[in-house]
Amino acid sequence: MKTTTRVAVIGGGVVGCSVLYHLTKLGWSDVMLLERSELTSGSTWHAAGGFHTLNGDTNMAALQGYTIRLYKELEAITGMSCGLHHVGGITLADTQDRFDMFVAERAKHRYMGLETEIVGPEEIAKMAPIVNLDGIVGGLYDPLDGHLDPSGTTHAYAKAARMGGATIETHCKVVETNQRPDGTWDVVTEKGTIHAEHIVNAGGLWAREVGAMAGIYFPLHPMEHQYIVTDDIPMIYERGSEHPHVMDPAGESYLRQEGRGLCIGFYEKPCKPWAVDGTPWDFGHELLPDDFDKIEDSINFAYKRFPVLETAGVKTVIHGPFTFAPDGNPLVGPVPGVRNYWSACGVMAGFSQGGGVGLTLAQWMIEGEAERDVTGLDVGRFGKWITPGYTRPKVIENYQTRFSIAYPNEEKPAARPHRTTPMYDIFDGMGAVWGHQFGLEVVNYFATGDEPRYETPSFRRSNAWNATAREVAAVRNGVGINEVQNFGKFSVTGPNARAWLDRVMAGRMPKQGRMSLTPMLSPNGRLWGDFTVSCLSETEFQLTASYGAQEIHHRWFLKNQMDGVTVENISDRRTGFQIAGPKAREVLAACTRDDVTTMKFLDVRRMVVGQVNCIVQRVSYTGDLGYEIFCDPMDQRQLWNTLWTVGEPMGMKPFGMRAMMSLRLDRFFGSWLREFSPDYTAAETGIDRFIDWKKNSDWIGKAAAMAERETPPARQAVVFEVDADNADVTAYEPVFHNDAVVGFCTSGGYSHHAGKSIAFALVPRDIVTDDLTVEIEILGSRRKAKRIETPLFDADGAVLRG
Ligand SMILES: Cc1cc2nc3c(=O)[nH]c(=O)nc-3n(C[C@H](O)[C@H](O)[C@H](O)COP(=O)(O)OP(=O)(O)OC[C@H]3O[C@@H](n4cnc5c(N)ncnc54)[C@H](O)[C@@H]3O)c2cc1C
């Protein structure tokens, strides 16, 4: 056995083999896979082998599309068969809401290049005659759906990897992973120790145990899952062609032809987590005992939807475990805080996603970044706050709602509240309707009077409408208050703090007592963050950015460390409030002995507010006159008492994220992972206006950004006023120009201040004119939209700067 390798991939399921193949494909041949038994010895061997492209997350859908197209390439390279059946699939809609969701999904597919189709009951009857169409409104047809042979496909990946120089060691259980001081790893196996530069955890069902060997907790959990294969059914085998897949979300089932019969699996509500305290090492090629009790309701529903099943005998029952992360997406990428340790686990749909996961990870390891925004599957999207106690209920919830309608405003309840600030009880007592961000409870809006404490999930304007309008008005006409907890915050200290910032950030770094806004770029010039930098002294800066991206940003900072600088993630060590609106200055002035009238826009000062030491910044994402007031969490309630006691008699009202996201529209402020994301470059989004082209430092992404400055990118960010009805743009709606899809929306919403529906979109630069008019498809209806360039509030910046 080899004793040194550049990469040791632990786990020979479909995911590990795909990672191994992609490493060789991208040029690393000194790579090795270690499998405790034979290949496919985890979830992989008993998978139903189905694959599909549909995914609410467009980057996941792209990754799934890549996986499916890869199989033909694998067959060609290896001469092996993946047992492909490209039969197409229909997902049924039994309610108008579900149909709306499909129409919205179909709209996104237009610019993603996916040839899905909305089909009516008559077409469904022709394509899938076994469906009982009672109550069916329509469906979404995807020609790319199909299934394959799980074992054949995994072995094809393995053969392709071997052909690229990789080594595969079976019956070689990894028992320890020990890091050396230089960041490399000793991978101790039953056959001896291997010295590896990098480790990839592709341990699937045992990923938790493999992670624990290095002291890492991976937030995933195995769930039991069952599918049934029937005896031969004449109506199936007498057809001239293979029956398409049918997904029936109402019955939580997926169905396809298997030989001369059918195969049907369920995502049942009474589901069961498996191996709660750890996956036994001796679990191998066995199945779990049949459990018809938990799928009884699902089976009865299936009998009604597919009456042919009722008389079909059961040939085989497959009941096995596979793993899920709390949000159902894979856990991929460099594990934050652990050098040279990579994750490729939590992949619940290995045959839809395995290829894309392999490609993503290989690009990340070899080229330093993946080709598209991978935040949705980044292992860094969960923080250190996550525990098995949180993961398990979330995984159960995700399993149970796998086929549920996914509404853009939905807040799922399991495992909440998990993290709360000292304000939780106070805001709750004031009627807070809570949202959830990176484990933290964040107020969406405040219900008053008889308003329900629950926002109805909807594709249309929700019942939060009145409350949001009320809170927007309170800010624009008086003063509003909310928490600043949900910012990611970093403290950058040391003699080289400014030099480091000048390298990591593309923008101009502020002078002492000032703030600046800046993009952070990857070497390829893609957006890695949009930061606010505050200079407290020449050796102390505060950074604020997205709360949900804090681990991802911190990982990037550690990768780009410099001597003489300390970067600390202080997201949960500094909290406080924002006050915003025309009366904000009056409120602050009444709470401090400092002269706040001399504070200009983008000034930052240390100040005692009431009796609390604070950092006060004159800035507000609402676009209004406003202040962010940061303090120690232990002081937060005292700070609240001061601000509220003074502010309430002046008409101050609390406001939540729904109002904040409406207010930002008025000034065309972009938002992280909407307008700004690693999918886009600075010039595409317009955030390049904050780049300091003159600074001398060699900032990351400089060459790429400079090149774009010479040759502007093909796409441009544009704001539209939309002739909307009762639904606004959320994200990824297609933009039509002269009847062709030319772009898509990055986000949008309703400006309660201006009474207008607003959309932010990326469109081809060469069609952009002052009076550009397009159509945007919202829930299947094409709405007229005209370009606007003048902000809807404070167009001349007088309020902001005044
Ligand atoms: C009943 C059922 C039906 C399914 N149907 C589908 C479907 O239709 N389509 C689909 O896409 N997905 C389906 N899945 C899910 C699919 O099986 C998984 O997504 C996929 O198998 C995950 O692959 P993996 O490589 O991540 O993990 P695994 O297959 O679990 O592989 C992990 C491997 O790592 C090895 N390993 C672990 N620890 C060590 C160690 N310490 N040393 C060495 N080796 C180690 C294990 O032996 C194992 O071979 C289904 C799952 C089940 C249970």
Side-chain angles (χ1 to χ4, degrees), residues 11 13-15 35-36 43-44 48-50 174 204-205 322 347-351:
V14 64
V15 175
E35 165 54 48
R36 112 205 124 95
S43 310
T44 297
V174 173
L205 282 179
F322 65 134
V347 185
M348 60 76 51
F351 297 95

Side-chain angles (χ1 to χ4, degrees), residues 14 71 74 81-84 148-158 351:
V14 64
Y71 294 130
L74 267 187
S81 168
C82 295
L84 291 174
L148 46 62
D149 165 18
S151 173
T153 300
T154 307
H155 281 94
Y157 275 125
F351 297 95

